[in-house]
Amino acid sequence: MKSRYVFVTGGVCSSLGKGVTVAALGCLLESRGYTVALQKMDPYINIDPGTMSPYQHGEVFVTNDGAETDLDLGYYERFTASKLSRKNSISTGQIYNSVIERERKGDYLGRTVQVVPHITNEIRNRIYALSKEEIPDFIIVEIGGTVGDIESVPFLEAIRQMRFEHGWDQVLFVHLTLVPTITVAGEAKTKPTQHSVKELLALGIQPDVLICRISTPMSKEMKSKISLFCNVKEENVISASDITSSIYEVPKMYKEEKLDEVVLKSFGIEPKKSNFIEWDKMVKKILNASKKVQIAIVGKYISLHDAYRSVYESLSHGGIANDVIVELVKINPEELDKSNVKELLKNVNGILVPGGFGDRGIEGKIVAIQYARTKNIPFFGICLGMQCAVIEFGRNVLGFKHANSTEFNPSTEFPVISLIEEQAEIEQMGGTMRLGAYPCIVKKNSLAYQEYKSEKIFERHRHRFEFTLRYKQEFMEAGIDFSGYSPDEKLMEIIELKNHPWFVGVQYHPEFMSKPISPHPLFAGFIRAASKVKI
Ligand code: GLN
């Protein structure tokens, strides 16, 4: 069988939850026994989001093969079993880059290189690449941006061509739009959706399925009105009302709206039986939990939820594993110091310091870590968070005055964190960190081993700096256990404190591997330890 293509576009405005919709559709199709591949097309010119500020873009999600990608790929992985790699995250920058490279090599044999067909062909080839090795039943492609934007036009043209060439039984267009409610009139308005469909029609695309974001479930009358004005069958107008309880309820909402059945029927496929029990059970666990666990996140981008999206999601998975609700207490490290640390952290059950770059807020993070270490509060340090724990221990236990990372103070007397050797020569910023999954040996008789129950793990990385090996002996003698390391024992991947209920720092990003169905062992362990703390 050939793969079927589902293209998901967005209309009216951004932030409608296209990524979650794509992930949820993947989840529903998988629950019926189909295989899916999910892909994101981003219309920006950056090659990838790796060099963008989290305020511009939210977190950078990292795949096993070390691609720095859009955070929507995080949803794809958390909601489905599909494998993601560099191939699943495409940007305008990548498309143009390869076309221009080929032009310089002379591959176009004297022809004028143009948006149509050269750019559109390159886009299409990136889509076809997903069915080269294995042939998934469905390839779901999310077109980033909003229909009507100049940037997304080549992508829309490419998918229009695909529909024309492969036909209606192999290509489906799903359009996600907004049906806003005018509060004073108390009325939901369909006009923006009609206009957005007109924009698509002008580009030669007639959507087959409309998913309408709306605050309360859409009435039958409204569905039939949208159906009539937009040339979309009434049963193909899906109401996507706001879900406030848990993001993991979204697939269920779409299942009730029959989104997966509508998609399958549009392709002329008789839907296989759905097995949604496991997902349902997991959602019930979330909804039935009543005990609350407060976790402090000490990070400089706390004002933007998307900046630590995978960390927050993974914490909630830790909650699922322990039947508790995880409540986030977001703390700006620039506003935390010795004078207020007790006040700010006295009501939390655990403290997490996430990854990051640059020295802003470092001193506040170190104060928070010292508090966790000395007051026996469960602590989880991720990447920069682990590095800060090393700095804190160096300064306050070993007496290394002004110990630091060379990232923040290149001339520190005690560079307990320093540049990885092979990073020294690198000048280019984009895509040059230590990226992607690497093996890590977990020491038996350690807390890490207790959590992982495995001596060899693979975790994803995104960093340039590491623990400076020559200080290892001193740290060990003072109570740090290096319980995880690279197979050549050169990179210390996990640190833990011996006499502490739960104090773990990891050089990698476990948040990229956690799923609600299979919570990451370290997040599960951290929340378990935190839930035992009496405030
Ligand atoms: N800035 C640190 C490094 O490059 C930590 C990176 C991170 O937290 N992702 O090593």
Side-chain angles (χ1 to χ4, degrees), residues 420 434 463 466 469 484-486 488-493:
I420 302 175
R434 181 170 182 254
H463 65 123
E466 59 165 335
L469 217 50
Y485 35 81
S486 57
D488 65 5
E489 298 186 26
K490 284 196 174 144
L491 292 175
M492 294 303 112
E493 301 274 33

Side-chain angles (χ1 to χ4, degrees), residues 418-433:
S418 51
L419 203 60
I420 302 175
E421 214 176 81
E422 66 245 30
Q423 288 281 329
E425 305 295 309
I426 296 172
E427 277 173 18
Q428 193 161 309
M429 289 297 281
T432 55
M433 279 185 252

Side-chain angles (χ1 to χ4, degrees), residues 354-358 382-385 387 405 407-408 417 420 433 461-466 507 509:
F357 298 82
I382 296 179
C383 206
L384 179 65
Q387 298 176 351
S405 162
E407 179 179 3
F408 315 129
I417 302 291
I420 302 175
M433 279 185 252
H461 297 70
R462 183 171 185 252
H463 65 123
R464 287 187 212 284
F465 294 83
E466 59 165 335
Q507 186 54 83
H509 290 270

Side-chain angles (χ1 to χ4, degrees), residues 265-443:
K265 285 191 179 145
S266 304
F267 283 121
I269 300 172
E270 191 49 47
K272 290 193 218 166
K273 224 173 138 265
S274 153
N275 178 354
F276 205 56
I277 299 166
E278 213 194 332
W279 193 271
D280 243 353
K281 244 205 255 163
M282 177 270 292
V283 173
K284 281 206 186 94
K285 262 166 100 66
I286 299 178
L287 302 180
N288 289 337
S290 58
K291 185 178 169 186
K292 292 185 175 141
V293 173
Q294 310 259 353
I295 300 294
I297 313 292
V298 187
K300 64 180 175 180
Y301 295 113
I302 45 150
S303 60
L304 179 73
H305 199 76
D306 271 349
Y308 302 122
R309 176 61 74 173
S310 293
V311 171
Y312 297 153
E313 293 299 319
S314 302
L315 284 170
S316 82
H317 306 162
I320 298 172
N322 292 284
D323 290 310
V324 297
I325 302 168
V326 174
E327 285 187 343
L328 305 172
V329 181
K330 299 179 181 179
I331 293 176
N332 182 348
E334 289 177 275
E335 286 161 12
L336 185 147
D337 57 34
K338 287 213 159 109
S339 70
N340 62 9
V341 60
K342 197 162 166 224
E343 195 48 39
L344 288 173
L345 295 174
K346 68 172 190 249
N347 288 329
V348 302
N349 305 80
I351 297 170
L352 186 148
V353 178
F357 298 82
D359 66 351
R360 207 155 49 77
I362 291 296
E363 295 305 320
K365 290 178 192 175
I366 290 171
V367 170
I369 295 169
Q370 183 179 22
Y371 187 81
R373 181 175 59 78
T374 54
K375 303 281 184 233
N376 284 336
I377 299 167
F379 167 76
F380 198 4
I382 296 179
C383 206
L384 179 65
M386 175 259 203
Q387 298 176 351
C388 288
V390 167
I391 297 170
E392 190 279 322
F393 197 88
R395 286 185 193 174
N396 299 327
V397 178
L398 291 167
F400 292 172
K401 216 171 161 213
H402 306 303
N404 216 330
S405 162
T406 54
E407 179 179 3
F408 315 129
N409 179 5
S411 55
T412 171
E413 193 188 336
F414 295 103
V416 288
I417 302 291
S418 51
L419 203 60
I420 302 175
E421 214 176 81
E422 66 245 30
Q423 288 281 329
E425 305 295 309
I426 296 172
E427 277 173 18
Q428 193 161 309
M429 289 297 281
T432 55
M433 279 185 252
R434 181 170 182 254
L435 287 165
Y438 285 92
C440 167
I441 308 298
V442 181
K443 206 180 96 185

Side-chain angles (χ1 to χ4, degrees), residues 467-486:
F467 175 75
T468 310
L469 217 50
R470 67 171 187 274
Y471 292 110
K472 190 173 163 192
Q473 198 58 31
E474 281 156 286
F475 274 77
M476 272 167 62
E477 280 161 14
I480 290 277
D481 196 6
F482 293 92
S483 53
Y485 35 81
S486 57

